[in-house]
Amino acid sequence: MTQTDADAKPDKEPKRRTGPVTFTKQVAGELRKVRWPTRRELVTYTIVVLVFVLVVLGYVSLVDWGFGEAVTWLYGTFGTPQGV
């Protein structure tokens, strides 16, 4: 049978907060473990992101223009009263 959060027994001790000095040391230790991208990888990723943004920009612009034209046509066709 699987134990759920409702079935779990609460911890007897509350977790202690970490002080600012210990926190800073832990952050520095974690940052040493990070694999930073090379310049070539960074340039490649940047180009990929920019191309993707331009493609999405073009798609959204095209859809926006299409909806604008459709609304303009609708109001031009059905928006003006005939007897005025």
Side-chain angles (χ1 to χ4, degrees), residues 20-80:
V21 174
T22 306
F23 175 77
T24 305
K25 286 180 182 179
Q26 289 175 349
V27 167
E30 290 297 321
L31 285 175
R32 282 190 210 101
K33 298 177 190 177
V34 172
R35 184 199 168 274
W36 298 99
T38 62
R39 178 175 286 280
R40 182 180 175 116
E41 290 172 334
L42 193 62
V43 168
T44 302
Y45 298 156
T46 302
I47 291 171
V48 167
V49 167
L50 289 176
V51 167
F52 179 75
V53 166
L54 288 175
V55 167
V56 171
L57 175 93
Y59 174 74
V60 170
S61 296
L62 187 64
V63 169
D64 179 52
W65 176 80
F67 279 128
E69 288 295 315
V71 168
T72 302
W73 175 80
L74 274 172
Y75 280 121
T77 303
F78 301 111
T80 57

